[in-house]
Amino acid sequence: MPRSPLLAAVVAAWGLAGCTPAPAPPAVPPRAAASVSDAAAPARARQALQAHAGALRALFPGLQGTRVDQATGAAVLDVLAPTPARAGVSALRPDAEALLGVPVRIEFLDAPLRQQ
């Protein structure tokens, strides 16, 4: 029986006295980045970046460059975006991950990159 008087009244009013609470849904593990022990992860990310370069430029108009984080195997996108627009750009990260099939990290730039 419920410990709260209010809850007890609701249970009585709705005739739920014999009901048992539904089990909690199973916990969903967070999306994990590529494991450091996954030696092929950087190669997969590099290949995905090369294969989808045009689509990434279309998705991120301020894209200045791409690289691979060797430690995690994540694709890193260097994006030129003013501070107010960064939340909108960050919201596109799941789309980039779906496109590339690898974890993606977006790093924002305050000024455009120049080739030297």
Side-chain angles (χ1 to χ4, degrees), residues 53 56-57 60-66 76-80:
L56 286 173
R57 281 191 298 276
F60 298 96
L63 186 65
Q64 297 288 298
T66 62
V76 181
L77 309 179
D78 294 313
V79 178
L80 176 65

Side-chain angles (χ1 to χ4, degrees), residues 5-112:
L6 178 59
L7 187 55
V10 170
V11 168
W14 285 87
L16 302 173
C19 295
T20 58
V28 177
R31 182 188 56 80
S35 167
V36 174
S37 64
D38 185 359
R44 280 195 306 273
R46 195 173 306 105
Q47 183 180 17
L49 286 170
Q50 290 171 351
H52 299 290
L56 286 173
R57 281 191 298 276
L59 188 60
F60 298 96
L63 186 65
Q64 297 288 298
T66 62
R67 55 197 158 88
V68 175
D69 182 332
Q70 295 297 316
T72 65
V76 181
L77 309 179
D78 294 313
V79 178
L80 176 65
T83 302
R86 291 180 179 181
V89 172
S90 292
L92 297 173
R93 186 179 57 80
D95 296 335
E97 288 181 337
L99 175 69
L100 298 175
V102 298
V104 170
R105 185 173 76 234
I106 299 173
E107 293 192 358
F108 292 104
L109 304 172
D110 294 321

